[in-house]
Amino acid sequence: MPTRTPMPRALEPACGPHHTPARRAIDRAVARQTLGDLTDAYQWAVYARTLAHRATPPAEQLDAAALLAPLAAVNGHADQAVTAYRDLADLATAHLGAGHERTLYARAGLAQARHRVGCCDQAIRDLADVYTTAAHRHGPDAPVSLNTLTELACLYRDCGWPDVAHRCLAAATTIANRYLPSGDPLRARITDTAGTPASSNHRAVCTQARWS
Ligand SMILES: [Zn+2]
């Protein structure tokens, strides 16, 4: 779908006298998302990001970008999701630092967005680098490290590298079993990922050509 800036419905009265227009749009996007209206939430998020420009506080810019990127992806705007995640990663790096968890998650989201449009080599390379940075800065047992390693396994699996995917998941399982309690949802996610087959949807865009 073409990238555009849809104007949502007219602004309603302000939620609070101290809220900026960008913050009000962020709040409305969150409210629509909570109600499950992802299309409207996406439009409000686009609007919020246009309002949260350089003159607004960095926290508003980050919050708007962090809303917009996943909403673009879930609404099927794959190319815009790449742009939005790149924007988010740049903002997070500038305001929080390269090693911050939010920055690492933003870069992981960018890698996933690139993978969805067939930039497989770059996506895998970038996500592997995110994992290396996360493990070095936060430890291999940190949620950001284990989530990234599990997601890296998904990218390898969907690109037709089941052996590499299995090695990533085996390492994640070993770390999770050693450091996380038995009921931790991250352990369940790793187990679920190990039992999930490669995505047939990715084959249409995959540029790895590893399929037999
Ligand atoms: Zn691929």
Side-chain angles (χ1 to χ4, degrees):
M1 292 190 67
T3 300
R4 62 193 178 91
T5 304
M7 286 296 294
R9 289 190 277 273
L11 279 169
E12 298 163 15
C15 299
H18 305 300
H19 284 190
T20 64
R23 181 58 65 188
R24 289 199 295 272
I26 290 168
D27 290 345
R28 281 172 171 75
V30 171
R32 298 300 194 277
Q33 188 175 33
T34 302
L35 292 171
D37 188 348
L38 300 180
T39 302
D40 213 30
Y42 163 72
Q43 292 185 343
W44 276 108
V46 170
Y47 190 46
R49 186 65 190 100
T50 63
L51 293 173
H53 48 73
R54 288 182 183 176
T56 59
E60 283 188 359
Q61 298 176 46
L62 272 169
D63 288 349
L67 263 177
L68 176 58
L71 280 168
V74 79
N75 276 283
H77 305 294
D79 289 330
Q80 196 198 359
V82 173
T83 304
Y85 270 112
R86 187 186 300 121
D87 173 48
L88 175 60
D90 288 347
L91 278 171
T93 301
H95 296 297
L96 302 173
H100 195 282
E101 282 195 355
R102 285 186 74 181
T103 304
L104 295 169
Y105 276 120
R107 289 184 57 208
L110 175 58
Q112 291 172 262
R114 281 179 167 146
H115 190 251
R116 278 191 291 269
V117 297
C119 298
C120 302
D121 279 335
Q122 185 178 9
I124 288 173
R125 193 167 56 245
D126 289 350
L127 196 57
D129 186 63
V130 172
Y131 171 68
T132 301
T133 304
H136 177 71
R137 295 291 296 267
H138 301 281
D141 56 322
V144 65
S145 305
L146 282 170
N147 272 313
T148 303
L149 186 55
T150 304
E151 191 55 43
L152 186 60
C154 293
L155 265 54
Y156 276 125
R157 178 198 64 203
D158 291 349
C159 285
W161 298 80
D163 293 345
V164 187
H166 177 76
R167 285 200 293 274
C168 290
L169 285 174
T173 300
T174 299
I175 296 167
N177 288 347
R178 181 174 300 170
Y179 295 106
L180 302 183
S182 59
D184 193 289
L186 190 45
R187 282 179 67 160
R189 188 202 168 196
I190 295 167
T191 302
D192 289 347
T193 302
T196 302
S199 164
S200 57
N201 291 335
H202 182 68
R203 291 193 187 201
V205 298
C206 187
T207 48
Q208 285 289 303
R210 284 277 301 177
W211 302 101
S212 57

